[in-house]
Amino acid sequence: MTVASLVITVGRSPADFAEWPRTDRLGEARCHVFQCADILDIWIDTIGRARSISVHCVGVHDAAGRPVMLLALGIERKRGVRVLGFLDGSVSDYCQPVLFPPSADIDPGMAGEIWARIQTALPHFDIAVLDKMPPEVGDLPNPLIHLGAVLMPEAGHVMSLHGSRAEVEGRIPASKRHKRYQRQLMKERTVSFSAADTTDMANVYFDAMVVNKTRRFAETRVPGFELPGKLEFFREATRRLPQLAPVHLSAVQADAEIIASHWGLVMGDRFYFLMTAYADGTWRKFSPGRILNDELILWCHANGYRWFDFGIGNEDYKYEYCDVTIPLYEARIPVTWLGRLSLRAGAFLAWLRTLTVWQRLRPYKWALMRRFAKKPD
C-alpha cells in the first residue's frame, strides 16, 4: 500500500460509507462506541446542529476499495478561528479514527502524507485539534499519533472483569465506614438495583439523573447541560436507541425513591461508565453513588461484560477500582497564520494559568518546601 494509491473521499454523514460500523455491527472495524454510526447520527442531530458544526466524514480506501480508515470530523468557528476536530462536545471519552486491518501498514512517514491529503480534501480550516486519542484502537496502532501528538495530563481508566464473581467482588474497594453506613441503610430501607429494560423505566431513571446531575454541575461550577445540544444528545439517544445496549440506564432505589442513577453506553464486551448522579441531603452519608458503582460492576460481570470503562479523568476513586490505564494524546496542527497565532495564544494562556496557580501558592511556599524536602539520612 502506498499513499499515492489511496482514495480519499469526504461525505456529510456516516451513512455515506457502507462499511461505517454500528454498535451492533462492527465487522472488521476497530473503534470505541463513540465512533459508531448510530451514536454519531444522534450527535450530528443534536450537538452538531446546536453548535452549527460543519460535519465532514472522511473515508480512506486502498486501490482495491478496502477501507483503511474512517474519520468523523467537524469544523467549528471558535472566536473567529476555524477549528477542525473530532465530533465530541464533551460527550466522548475517546476520540480517534475508525481503523481497519490495512491501516497496520501505515508507518510514521505515511501518516503525515495521508493527513496532508485529507487536509487538502476538506474545506478551509485554520487549525486541527485532535485530542483524547488513545495510542491503539483495538489491536491496531493509531496512525494519527504520528502527527506530533503529545501526552495529555488526563488518561482513561478501566477495570477488567475477568475471573469469577468472587474475584471481581474482592477487587471492589470498600472502607469499613462505607460498609457500616450501607448496613445501616439496608436496615432502614429496602435497597435495590435495577437496569432499565423498557423505555418508560429508562425515562424515569433519566429524569432523576438530570435533576441530580444539574444540581451537582451547579455545586462544582463545571459546565454541564447548558452546553449547546448536550442534554438533547443524552435525551435523544435514550429515546431513539434500544435499552440495555447500546444505551444503558440503571438506578439504586431506597424503597421507591431513586437515590442514584447512571447513563452509559455498551458495545461488545465493554461497558462505558459515563454519567452518574446521586441524591443529596440525608442520603449523602450513605454514598449512594458508590453503591451504584459497585452494583453496576457486578451486574456487568454477571451479564458477560469484561471491561468496565470509567473513561477519561484522573479522579482518585478510579485508581481504587481500575487496573488498566489508557494514555491519551493530543495533536494541534496549525494550517494558517491564524491557526498558528491561536496555537501560540493557547500556549501563553496555559503558561499564565500555571503562573497564576503558583502565585496563589506563594504564601505556602516554605511550608510546601519543608513538606517535600528530602530528609537527611
Side-chain angles (χ1 to χ4, degrees), residues 53-130:
I53 294 174
S54 175
V55 175
H56 306 279
C57 294
V58 179
V60 180
H61 296 76
D62 65 14
R66 296 181 304 167
V68 177
M69 179 167 57
L70 301 169
L71 299 97
L73 302 170
I75 299 175
E76 182 178 16
R77 187 182 289 273
K78 298 180 179 180
R79 298 178 181 176
V81 180
R82 294 182 181 89
V83 181
L84 175 77
F86 294 113
L87 305 187
D88 179 6
S90 82
V91 299
S92 301
D93 281 350
Y94 307 114
C95 299
Q96 77 269 306
V98 178
L99 296 180
F100 295 85
S103 68
D105 295 331
I106 299 176
D107 60 32
M110 292 176 65
E113 294 180 48
I114 293 171
W115 178 255
R117 290 193 57 193
I118 291 173
Q119 178 180 311
T120 301
L122 290 171
H124 173 77
F125 63 92
D126 298 301
I127 187 171
V129 179
L130 308 175

Side-chain angles (χ1 to χ4, degrees), residues 347-368:
F348 174 74
L349 289 174
W351 173 81
L352 197 60
R353 283 192 293 269
T354 303
L355 182 64
T356 301
V357 170
W358 176 244
Q359 290 292 336
R360 290 175 180 172
L361 288 174
R362 283 191 68 182
Y364 311 100
K365 179 174 66 174
W366 297 113
L368 287 168

Side-chain angles (χ1 to χ4, degrees), residues 209-224:
M209 190 270 293
V210 170
V211 169
N212 288 317
K213 197 65 179 179
T214 300
R215 184 203 75 248
R216 186 60 179 162
F217 280 142
E219 289 174 352
T220 57
R221 298 182 180 180
V222 172

